[in-house]
Amino acid sequence: MAAAVYGLSALQEGILYHALQHEDEDRYIVQISCRLPQLDRQRWQQAWRTAIRRHDVLRTAFAWQKVARPVQVVLADAMPAWETLDWTGVAPAQRDSHLAAFLQQDRQRGLKLTSAPLARMTLAELGEDGALFVWSYHHLILDAWSASIVMAEVLEAYLAPHAPPAAPCPPFRHYIRHRAERDRRQAEAFWA
């Protein structure tokens, strides 16, 4: 069920245009990976669920067909797929090559822009060495700066699971509305 539907920022429109022009390429798939030495999987997934509920963009899909202009559709609830890999038998010296091969394959899978969330989570179990985590997402929903904020929130929620949740953040649609309501002539005059 859609919780909100609104337009795209100029940057999102550009990324969507190029992503559609080059659908066979994976240029807008972003991957963040990290090793988690001692992982409580349930707590890690709960920390992610908290972040996804807090940030609309992590529950967003895009529509561009049969509409005048592309829109983003925020779902009330959308959790990414979690994939678990068993790398317990992989020697530490081989993990880098396993990770490189996985990252390439994962990028090639792509993400369906019309289905939220535009993200995937993967845990590669390493046995006594913990796990390797990979977060794959589409650049349409986050830039690197924003992704680092989300990752910091997830880590904070994971490390302090009983802390009160962070205050709700303003929905992205507020920014989109602000951009649409501003006087373009004033902005052009300022930048001229």
Side-chain angles (χ1 to χ4, degrees):
M1 176 193 312
V5 177
Y6 48 90
L8 280 62
S9 70
L11 179 60
Q12 284 177 311
E13 285 183 0
I15 291 172
L16 177 62
Y17 173 81
H18 287 287
L20 294 174
Q21 293 299 312
H22 305 280
E23 286 184 277
D24 57 334
E25 298 177 19
D26 56 14
R27 66 175 75 182
Y28 292 110
I29 303 295
V30 181
Q31 296 166 307
I32 295 175
S33 64
C34 59
R35 192 169 80 73
L36 303 166
Q38 296 177 352
L39 179 66
D40 178 331
R41 183 186 296 172
Q42 287 183 327
R43 204 165 79 206
W44 183 246
Q45 290 178 340
Q46 180 57 44
W48 275 101
R49 281 192 289 278
T50 299
I52 291 166
R53 281 192 294 272
R54 188 170 188 287
H55 296 282
D56 290 354
V57 76
L58 298 177
R59 293 177 277 123
T60 297
F62 294 83
W64 58 89
Q65 296 175 331
K66 299 180 183 179
V67 292
R69 291 189 62 113
V71 293
Q72 45 195 319
V73 180
V74 179
L75 300 184
D77 186 36
M79 290 296 155
W82 281 86
E83 184 177 355
T84 302
L85 307 172
D86 183 3
W87 289 5
T88 55
V90 178
Q94 305 290 321
R95 288 181 188 152
D96 286 345
S97 62
H98 265 65
L99 176 60
F102 169 78
L103 292 175
Q104 181 179 6
Q105 177 232 7
D106 185 61
R107 286 176 66 85
Q108 290 172 345
R109 285 172 53 191
L111 290 159
K112 188 175 178 185
L113 301 179
T114 57
S115 297
L118 295 178
R120 249 188 322 273
M121 313 295 190
T122 304
L123 279 173
E125 298 289 348
L126 304 175
E128 293 179 4
D129 291 337
L132 183 71
F133 173 71
V134 178
W135 175 28
S136 301
Y137 65 89
H138 202 283
H139 189 50
L140 258 171
I141 61 168
L142 291 170
D143 59 13
W145 183 77
S146 300
S148 68
I149 292 171
V150 170
M151 192 60 130
E153 286 182 14
V154 169
L155 289 169
E156 186 175 320
Y158 176 75
L159 294 172
H162 302 295
C169 62
F172 189 61
R173 69 179 177 271
H174 291 183
Y175 170 74
I176 297 295
R177 185 178 340 123
H178 163 74
R179 299 289 296 175
E181 292 172 350
R182 73 186 166 112
D183 184 342
R184 289 185 181 263
R185 289 177 299 198
Q186 264 187 337
E188 287 172 3
F190 173 81
W191 290 107

